[in-house]
């Protein structure tokens, strides 16, 4: 509970500092975004599942070998606007068959590791997030809530946010843990290591 309470207190303080709390619910909700990745294992190694006798809904949960997986980045706003998925495959190039029958507008990229890396996140931020939130360019910021994964904390992403901060508009990153990181209207960069 303390970690959760601390998170909401930090978020409330950011919203107060940036004047977001003065906005109407609809305007505020359109400026609050969250994104996160999830990994989907394609090489599950379990051959048996142990369940209670008589169980009808048997679900297999396993982490697999870790060798073959797909990473999917999802992003949405507090008003329910959702971006198409951003899919990262472990490959040198994308096989066109991997994109067949995928969700409309989905983007498919690759990385050597199959995990979200700085290059992929930077591409998503610059080619998906910034253009999609450009209409919100007013004196109030857009808040993108992220986890503290290393691919999100890069000079390239900060530079892109600052370049798109045409005087009044800014992109605000708010990491839950372990970093609290923001790009302010004046273009100053502040990073605090969380004690949590």
């Amino acid at each position: 509970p303390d970690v959760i309470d601390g998170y909401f207190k930090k978020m409330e303080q950011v919203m107060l500092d940036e004047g977001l709390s003065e906005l109407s619910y609809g305007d505020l909700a359109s400026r609050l975004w969250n994104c996160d990745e999830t990994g989907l294992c394609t090489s599950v190694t379990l051959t048996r599942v142990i369940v209670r006798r008589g169980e009808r809904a048997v679900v297999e949960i396993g982490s697999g070998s870790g060798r073959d997986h797909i990473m999917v980045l999802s992003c949405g706003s507090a008003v329910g606007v959702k971006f198409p998925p951003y899919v990262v495959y472990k490959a040198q190039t994308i096989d066109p068959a991997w994109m067949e029958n995928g969700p409309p507008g989905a983007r498919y990229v690759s990385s050597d590791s199959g995990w979200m890396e700085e290059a992929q996140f930077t591409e998503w931020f610059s080619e998906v997030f910034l253009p999609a939130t450009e209409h919100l360019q007013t004196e109030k910021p857009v808040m993108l809530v992220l986890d503290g994964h290393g691919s999100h904390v890069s000079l390239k992403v900060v530079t892109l946010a600052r370049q798109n901060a045409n005087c009044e508009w800014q992109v605000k990153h708010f990491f839950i843990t372990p970093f609290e990181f923001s790009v302010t209207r004046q273009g100053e960069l502040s990073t605090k290591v969380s004690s949590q």
Side-chain angles (χ1 to χ4, degrees):
D2 291 340
V3 172
I4 295 170
D5 289 343
Y7 164 74
F8 283 107
K9 286 178 183 173
K10 287 180 189 176
M11 191 168 192
E12 181 180 30
Q13 190 59 52
V14 169
M15 292 172 64
L16 286 169
D17 292 348
E18 299 299 329
L20 289 172
S21 57
E22 303 163 5
L23 299 173
S24 68
Y25 173 78
D27 196 20
L28 172 62
S30 70
R31 295 170 183 287
L32 297 177
W33 294 81
N34 184 43
C35 75
D36 200 8
E37 304 93 354
T38 191
L40 306 171
C41 182
T42 61
S43 63
V44 176
T45 57
L46 298 177
T47 56
R48 295 178 188 216
V49 179
I50 299 172
V51 296
R52 293 181 190 180
R53 183 181 304 253
E55 185 72 38
R56 293 178 180 236
V58 178
V59 178
E60 179 179 77
I61 300 173
S63 61
S65 66
R67 288 191 303 257
D68 298 314
H69 64 274
I70 302 165
M71 185 66 57
V72 180
L73 175 85
S74 299
C75 183
S77 75
V79 290
V81 175
K82 295 173 281 211
F83 295 154
Y86 186 84
V87 183
V88 181
Y89 285 99
K90 181 179 180 180
Q92 295 297 314
T93 59
I94 297 294
D95 183 334
W98 298 343
M99 298 182 280
E100 290 178 9
N101 301 314
R107 289 188 173 228
Y108 301 90
V109 298
S110 63
S111 75
D112 290 338
S113 68
W115 300 101
M116 180 67 69
E117 296 173 353
E118 181 182 326
Q120 290 76 29
F121 186 78
T122 302
E123 177 185 293
W124 174 83
F125 187 76
S126 66
E127 296 182 18
V128 178
F129 184 77
L130 288 176
T133 58
E134 187 174 26
H135 68 285
L136 298 170
Q137 293 186 12
T138 67
E139 69 279 356
K140 301 295 182 192
V142 170
M143 183 181 287
L144 176 59
V145 180
L146 308 161
D147 59 23
H149 190 266
S151 65
H152 306 150
V153 185
S154 74
L155 184 57
K156 290 179 183 178
V157 170
V158 172
T159 301
L160 284 166
R162 288 174 65 183
Q163 287 172 347
N164 283 278
N166 54 19
C167 298
E168 299 151 329
W169 185 64
Q170 65 178 329
V171 174
K172 182 119 187 144
H173 288 89
F174 184 71
F175 296 113
I176 300 169
T177 56
F179 298 105
E180 187 177 316
F181 172 77
S182 64
V183 180
T184 65
R185 214 173 267 117
Q186 295 77 25
E188 298 170 355
L189 172 65
S190 81
T191 305
K192 299 176 194 171
V193 178
S194 174
S195 60
Q196 306 261 324

